[in-house]
Amino acid sequence: MDVLLDSRTLVVAAVILACILSKERTETEMAQLAAFLTVAGDTLALLAFQPNCDCDSPIE
């Protein structure tokens, strides 16, 4: 996926997404969602540094 966005556009998109995801959620639900997205983002960052990682192989 080759999408080039400047940093301001990414920040605005993140804020808009956060506002949409927070609607009608409790503080606990928002905290859980934030923790999940943090783990997902950190994992993506790690995978970016491991280009040879085979994510399709089964975990044993």
Side-chain angles (χ1 to χ4, degrees), residues 39-59:
V39 170
D42 289 349
T43 302
L44 284 171
L46 287 171
L47 291 174
F49 288 107
Q50 298 291 327
N52 297 327
C53 178
D54 184 8
C55 292
D56 294 327
S57 66
I59 298 174

Side-chain angles (χ1 to χ4, degrees), residues 9-55:
T9 303
L10 289 173
V11 170
V12 170
V15 170
I16 291 170
L17 180 61
C19 289
I20 291 168
L21 291 174
S22 70
K23 286 208 176 243
E24 299 183 21
R25 297 200 192 282
T26 66
E27 289 178 9
T28 300
E29 290 171 329
M30 286 189 286
Q32 290 172 338
L33 186 56
F36 172 80
L37 292 173
T38 297
V39 170
D42 289 349
T43 302
L44 284 171
L46 287 171
L47 291 174
F49 288 107
Q50 298 291 327
N52 297 327
C53 178
D54 184 8
C55 292

